[in-house]
Amino acid sequence: MTRTDLLALTPETLASLANRGLVKRAEKDLAAGSGPVVATGDDGTVRGAFPDGTEAALPVGLALDAADCSCAAPGVCRHRIALVLAYQRSAPSMPGGTQGAEEPFTDWSPAEFDDEALAMALGRPAVTAARRTRDRGYTARVHRPTAADPAPRVELPTCTVRFPVPHELGYALSDAAAPLRGEVVTLAVWAFRAADAEHSDEVTVGGRTTAPAGADEALRAAVALADELLLDGVQQADPVFTGSLRRTEQALTAVSHHWPAGAVAELRDQLEAYAARASRYTPERLALLLAELHARHRGADRDPVGVLGTAEAPVTPLRRVRLVALGCRIGGTARDRTAETYFAHADAGIALVLRKRWELTGDQAPTGHELSTRRLLGSPLHALATANVVSEHTARAADRTVVLSRGRIAATSITPVGSAWTELPDRLLLRDTAAHLRAAGERAPRLIRARVEADSVRVIAVDTVDGIGYDPAGQRLEAVLRDPVGNPVHLRAEYNPLCPGGLDALAAALTDEVRCVSGMLGRDHGRIVLDPLAVLTPQGVTVPDLAPGDGDTRLTTIRPRPSDPITTALESALTALADAAHHGLRHLTGTSRTALADTATHLRRTGLHTAARLQDELIRSLHTQGATAAVRHWVAAQIHLTTSLDLHQEDAP
């Protein structure tokens, strides 16, 4: 009797079930002749007798951690791993241990497991806990098996679950901490059931028919504050108003409305930035946030979990994880500096972000390069941003930020990244960017999209680099990367005044033998674009935001790409709406009113008649009914124009 479940356990899967050190130790024992004598019973149980007297047994239907071993080690030990490897080498279907990759592809779905099977394999308490989460509702993205990636997996809001062995629950893997494993595996199976029933990859599972007490009140309070700000403008927003925003944010979080809570928090940050005259405040961002709160309120009835945010626990503790750093982005104001370090979580197939904020005192104004020597998790920031990080005390938030527990730094190891980028799975390391974007499918409109950090961060394998040049008007470095199949990827890096040497370092790295570039991947005017984080060359990883220099290198200039008429008309109209929000509809200047009228005419001449009509209705309402009545017309115009511009920029040639 051949155990196909054991044959399907690759060294990578075994490392996920235990750790890489145990797998290497077991492989070394086998190579030295210290492996077990393998015997298979009539019932399929695989037994191994080791030279040191240890005996292990792998019964059918039990995972490795539940198997028998006479050694004293808790959990999955090297003897059980060595027995699996020895069985694979001796099994008829794997002579010499070389045919594991030749196992036929199995197209299957974890939806095949019913609740009774889940309870037997994972325990009834785990299924009961999962039911409580399902009652609240949760979102999930399923990835069905393919020949290139045969293990089905599910991205839950705060962790990822994989099923590496076909038709076996016991070997399901998750990056969640061990006490949560049974619950998240159950949630993943239910997500596959919903996805198979709906013939979809992104699903919302469960959810109460009625919202939690106070949920609607909290959302209405957020919208009311947005309207008050729209009427009075940012100059009238005092500390009392920002305090109201903070309390509303807390109320939204309490009822698990995480995405509106995030919008309110960012709105409060915009007001604080304006009060501090910080550069991160922009009227356009303010207007977008005001419209987002209205859009989420309107879309809540259709998809409350997806539009308002997951009802999962905001933070999920993870078990031992290995993260690969992909670079760093520096930001900040006159009062602070922030560092966002991005990581690839290879086992989960996603990117995560670790945030650090430093308060500034006196006349401090550190650049990104000066921040690069500050220590984080016991290492300089520049080392962390180019490292492999293995941690046993990590938590992942629903927005894919990483949280590390204080006082447990010793459980985190940091080593140079080496060649880890080139060893990432295909869902993170892209060799065909166009195929990846096609497979990603259509996303929800930006205003109601999940507020997930690092969702677009990928590593692009680079074949050649062409057309490196600097656009002085846009203060932007541009280049054309070509992936291994020839797709052009347009790299665009904006000048960051906090990192004056960044563009110089990026340009120098791009003239080297580029292997990979990490960054935020997307589309603009129908073209594939990448906002870079770091560059991998034979000399190592270059992180532009942490690079030295004063930005005095002479860069080859290029002619800026002209904007198309539709983009110009939409952007002009949005600028006029943002200016109105900045001043407040009750305090519009003559210039602001003229800009609204002029942009309506521009929209009409460009053929955007619906947008022009919405702008006209706003102007007419301001004249005849007053500012309060004009709020709903401003919101309608802002939502329509924002969505139109997003769709046009993604699809336009």
Side-chain angles (χ1 to χ4, degrees):
M1 177 181 178
T2 301
R3 290 280 300 277
T4 56
D5 60 328
L6 298 183
L7 300 182
L9 293 174
T10 65
E12 290 74 19
T13 301
L14 290 171
S16 297
L17 291 168
N19 61 65
R20 295 181 186 275
L22 285 180
V23 175
K24 290 181 178 179
R25 172 70 185 276
E27 290 174 333
K28 185 181 296 185
D29 288 346
L30 291 179
S34 301
V37 176
V38 180
T40 304
D42 294 337
D43 61 352
T45 299
V46 175
R47 302 183 183 277
F50 290 80
D52 62 0
T54 302
E55 294 185 354
L58 307 175
V60 176
L62 291 182
L64 287 185
D65 58 354
D68 299 323
C69 184
S70 61
C71 77
V76 179
C77 60
R78 64 184 176 88
H79 299 102
R80 297 177 221 194
I81 293 174
L83 180 54
V84 172
L85 295 176
Y87 175 78
Q88 291 177 347
R89 298 184 182 191
S90 64
S93 61
M94 297 185 67
T98 62
Q99 296 185 15
E102 298 178 8
E103 287 294 308
F105 166 64
T106 302
D107 187 6
W108 71 290
S109 171
E112 68 185 35
F113 301 114
D114 59 22
D115 284 4
E116 188 61 32
L118 291 171
M120 291 181 62
L122 306 171
R124 295 195 181 278
V127 176
T128 300
R131 287 196 180 104
R132 288 194 292 267
T133 299
R134 185 175 62 181
D135 289 343
R136 295 192 300 268
Y138 64 97
T139 58
R141 180 184 298 171
V142 305
H143 298 265
R144 294 178 174 81
T146 64
D149 188 4
R153 72 183 191 280
V154 178
E155 293 178 27
L156 295 170
T158 53
C159 68
T160 300
V161 179
R162 291 192 297 128
F163 299 88
V165 180
H167 314 297
E168 291 287 345
L169 266 179
Y171 295 109
L173 300 173
S174 172
D175 49 0
L180 299 175
R181 176 181 174 274
E183 178 183 348
V184 298
V185 170
T186 301
L187 295 174
V189 169
W190 289 342
F192 257 102
R193 284 188 202 168
D196 290 353
E198 298 175 16
H199 304 287
S200 175
D201 294 332
E202 297 192 17
V203 293
T204 297
V205 184
R208 296 189 182 102
T209 56
T210 58
D216 192 50
E217 290 82 354
L219 191 55
R220 285 203 304 268
V223 171
L225 288 173
D227 289 349
E228 182 179 344
L229 183 58
L230 176 59
L231 284 168
D232 291 332
V234 295
Q235 294 178 349
Q236 309 301 319
D238 55 17
V240 174
F241 185 82
T242 55
S244 297
L245 286 176
R246 188 184 301 276
R247 289 190 295 273
T248 300
E249 175 194 347
Q250 294 169 347
L252 287 167
T253 301
V255 293
S256 299
H257 287 1
H258 299 303
W259 306 154
V264 171
E266 193 175 347
L267 191 60
R268 178 169 50 82
D269 179 73
Q270 282 286 294
L271 295 180
E272 292 173 351
Y274 175 77
R277 299 298 187 263
S279 59
R280 71 178 184 275
Y281 168 77
T282 64
E284 290 77 13
R285 188 62 192 166
L286 176 82
L288 196 67
L289 292 167
L290 296 176
E292 179 183 344
L293 286 170
H294 275 276
R296 293 192 185 278
H297 187 219
R298 294 179 181 185
D301 291 340
R302 177 169 297 182
D303 183 9
V305 175
V307 172
L308 301 180
T310 175
E312 282 278 319
V315 177
T316 294
L318 305 180
R319 62 185 180 84
R320 191 171 189 266
V321 295
R322 176 175 176 265
L323 305 174
V324 179
L326 302 179
C328 182
R329 182 60 52 84
I330 298 296
T333 69
R335 298 179 179 180
D336 66 5
R337 290 290 186 271
T338 58
E340 295 184 336
T341 306
Y342 292 85
F343 295 94
H345 186 187
D347 289 341
I350 59 174
L352 304 171
V353 60
L354 172 67
R355 286 202 183 98
K356 175 63 178 179
R357 181 175 179 269
W358 294 276
E359 292 280 355
L360 302 182
T361 59
D363 57 354
Q364 289 181 325
T367 64
H369 177 60
E370 291 167 338
L371 291 173
S372 69
T373 58
R374 297 202 178 187
R375 303 188 77 81
L376 191 60
L377 306 183
S379 296
L381 177 60
H382 67 81
L384 180 67
T386 58
N388 288 313
V389 178
V390 178
S391 177
E392 296 180 0
H393 297 287
T394 305
R396 169 181 154 188
D399 61 357
R400 293 190 186 171
T401 54
V402 176
V403 180
L404 290 151
S405 301
R406 289 185 178 182
R408 295 178 174 178
I409 303 303
T412 300
S413 67
I414 298 174
T415 57
V417 73
S419 61
W421 280 22
T422 62
E423 299 167 1
L424 292 172
D426 290 344
R427 51 190 178 272
L428 288 171
L429 173 60
L430 306 183
R431 296 174 176 84
D432 187 341
T433 51
H436 167 77
L437 290 173
R438 285 194 301 270
E442 296 184 358
R443 298 186 297 172
R446 177 171 32 151
L447 293 175
I448 58 171
R449 194 175 299 160
R451 283 178 155 260
V452 173
E453 300 290 340
D455 193 37
S456 63
V457 172
R458 294 292 185 275
V459 177
I460 310 300
V462 177
D463 186 55
T464 59
V465 180
D466 303 316
I468 304 173
Y470 177 68
D471 174 7
Q475 291 190 298
R476 180 172 61 226
L477 185 75
E478 298 189 5
V480 178
L481 317 176
R482 294 204 176 267
D483 63 23
V485 301
N487 294 309
V489 179
H490 297 264
L491 179 145
R492 297 178 181 175
E494 304 283 347
Y495 174 72
N496 184 348
L498 302 180
C499 311
L503 295 188
D504 296 346
L506 177 60
L510 292 175
T511 59
D512 201 346
E513 183 184 341
V514 179
R515 295 177 177 174
C516 301
V517 180
S518 66
M520 292 78 165
L521 186 69
R523 284 191 177 277
D524 184 16
H525 288 78
R527 305 191 300 176
I528 303 171
V529 296
L530 183 73
D531 179 8
L533 288 168
V535 181
L536 175 64
T537 69
Q539 281 65 49
V541 176
T542 297
V543 182
D545 275 22
L546 303 181
D550 297 324
D552 55 0
T553 302
R554 292 183 62 86
L555 301 173
T556 302
T557 59
I558 58 173
R559 182 176 299 177
R561 186 172 185 258
S563 180
D564 64 278
I566 293 178
T567 297
T568 300
L570 291 170
E571 288 180 341
S572 298
L574 284 168
T575 298
L577 290 172
D579 180 69
H582 170 81
H583 290 289
L585 298 183
R586 289 189 177 122
H587 310 286
L588 289 185
T589 64
T591 301
S592 297
R593 293 175 183 271
T594 300
L596 289 171
D598 289 346
T599 54
T601 301
H602 192 183
L603 289 167
R604 189 174 296 103
R605 288 175 177 173
T606 312
L608 301 171
H609 296 289
T610 300
R613 176 179 57 79
L614 292 172
Q615 201 92 326
D616 286 337
E617 290 174 353
L618 169 61
I619 297 168
R620 188 180 308 113
S621 179
L622 284 168
H623 281 300
T624 61
Q625 296 175 288
T628 302
V631 166
R632 65 185 182 91
H633 296 290
W634 183 95
V635 170
Q638 179 73 27
I639 290 176
H640 178 84
L641 289 166
T642 299
T643 305
S644 297
L645 181 60
D646 287 348
L647 293 174
H648 175 67
Q649 290 186 330
E650 289 181 3
D651 299 335

